[in-house]
Amino acid sequence: MTQGLADIMAEYRQDPEVRCVILTGAEGYFCVGGDVKGMAAGGEKRTVEQKAADLRRRMEAVRNLHEMEKPTIAAVEGAAAGAGLGLALACDFRICSDSAKITSAFAKVGLSGDYGGSFLASQILGVAKAREFWMLSPVISGKEAERMGLMTRAVDPGTALEEAIQLGEQLAEGPTLTYGRMKRNFRLIERGATMGELLDSEALNHALSTETADHKEAAQAFVEKRAPAFTGS
């Protein structure tokens, strides 16, 4: 399933018909992380190198969610733990229920972490707070996660997907190419770009945006005092 998720995210990243991606779970849960009972039972014997290579392939789901040049949203009910938290943090927006249980979980099962969670949490919370969250592994509510900034918005239980779909429809009707160029600028910041490098990127992406049909439509709509009709082109 995790390899399938990585594959479909790679497909959505390249598909021009996809204007927004919403990731959610089933039966009232987002993702509770790895199968700890399976871990305790052991499995097929593989080398460290084989384990690392297999996990790295599956973790491409996170990179594609985070880097695809279109909006991504996580709709979190129940719990987001371990790798599940990494998947949620990889999205641009995270809508969770007030009662959702959010935790890194790794320290409790003697693992250092995966699915990009430490990088993503550091970007959102700052390195010191992320280190605390990873090493102490508290379980916090969706409401507390919203207060921390870990989640974008906390909503009534059972409504996270509905709220995510409403937001997704709004974003899908927006200027998709422009959103992608915004994300390019933010990725440079994540990589530690200097102000000069960021200004270069902003100048280029701004210039590229002026050539889009969406920019021209938005400018005309502003003059005509009407809502723009974006086509994502």
Side-chain angles (χ1 to χ4, degrees), residues 173-190:
E173 292 173 357
T176 308
L177 293 177
T178 295
Y179 292 147
R181 288 175 181 131
M182 289 177 179
K183 291 181 71 167
R184 288 182 199 175
N185 293 334
F186 284 116
R187 286 204 307 275
L188 268 182
I189 296 167
E190 289 171 344

Side-chain angles (χ1 to χ4, degrees), residues 5-21 60-72 176 183-184 187 191:
L5 180 62
D7 294 342
I8 199 69
M9 289 305 149
E11 179 182 324
Y12 288 166
R13 183 174 181 174
Q14 300 300 326
D15 189 345
E17 297 299 313
V18 175
R19 303 279 295 277
C20 181
V21 170
E60 278 295 286
V62 166
R63 190 170 70 86
N64 282 316
L65 268 171
H66 188 59
E67 294 184 1
M68 71 169 69
E69 295 194 349
K70 55 196 76 176
T72 57
T176 308
K183 291 181 71 167
R184 288 182 199 175
R187 286 204 307 275
R191 293 169 186 164

Side-chain angles (χ1 to χ4, degrees), residues 57 110 174 185 213 215:
R57 282 192 299 272
N185 293 334
H215 165 68

Side-chain angles (χ1 to χ4, degrees), residues 2-213:
T2 51
Q3 186 59 58
L5 180 62
D7 294 342
I8 199 69
M9 289 305 149
E11 179 182 324
Y12 288 166
R13 183 174 181 174
Q14 300 300 326
D15 189 345
E17 297 299 313
V18 175
R19 303 279 295 277
C20 181
V21 170
I22 298 174
L23 182 66
T24 193
E27 300 181 9
Y29 288 87
F30 182 74
C31 177
V32 296
D35 177 7
V36 180
K37 288 183 180 178
M39 295 174 194
E44 68 174 294
K45 299 300 181 183
R46 295 179 297 160
T47 66
V48 168
E49 292 76 15
Q50 288 170 329
K51 292 177 182 179
D54 177 57
L55 179 58
R56 180 63 185 84
R57 282 192 299 272
R58 292 184 279 119
M59 290 197 295
E60 278 295 286
V62 166
R63 190 170 70 86
N64 282 316
L65 268 171
H66 188 59
E67 294 184 1
M68 71 169 69
E69 295 194 349
K70 55 196 76 176
T72 57
I73 306 170
V76 178
E77 295 279 359
L85 179 58
L87 286 164
L89 297 182
C91 295
D92 299 312
F93 303 92
R94 296 162 297 282
I95 311 299
C96 71
S97 71
D98 288 342
S99 59
K101 292 181 172 60
I102 313 296
T103 181
S104 61
F106 294 110
K108 294 179 180 178
V109 292
L111 294 173
S112 57
D114 55 24
Y115 277 76
S118 53
F119 171 83
L120 296 160
S122 295
Q123 293 293 322
I124 296 167
L125 300 175
V127 174
K129 196 67 180 177
R131 190 175 299 203
E132 174 188 334
F133 195 71
W134 245 240
M135 296 179 77
L136 299 182
S137 198
V139 178
I140 62 173
S141 69
K143 188 170 289 187
E144 186 177 353
E146 178 193 39
R147 284 198 297 269
M148 289 172 62
L150 204 60
M151 294 287 138
T152 308
R153 187 188 310 162
V155 298
D156 291 337
T159 68
L161 181 57
E162 177 186 344
E163 294 278 347
I165 289 171
Q166 289 180 9
L167 176 59
E169 288 174 342
Q170 174 188 333
L171 290 164
E173 292 173 357
T176 308
L177 293 177
T178 295
Y179 292 147
R181 288 175 181 131
M182 289 177 179
K183 291 181 71 167
R184 288 182 199 175
N185 293 334
F186 284 116
R187 286 204 307 275
L188 268 182
I189 296 167
E190 289 171 344
R191 293 169 186 164
T194 64
M195 175 62 82
E197 289 168 335
L198 178 62
L199 293 177
D200 290 342
S201 176
E202 286 185 335
L204 175 59
N205 286 311
H206 180 93
L208 288 168
S209 295
T210 64
E211 299 297 313
T212 63

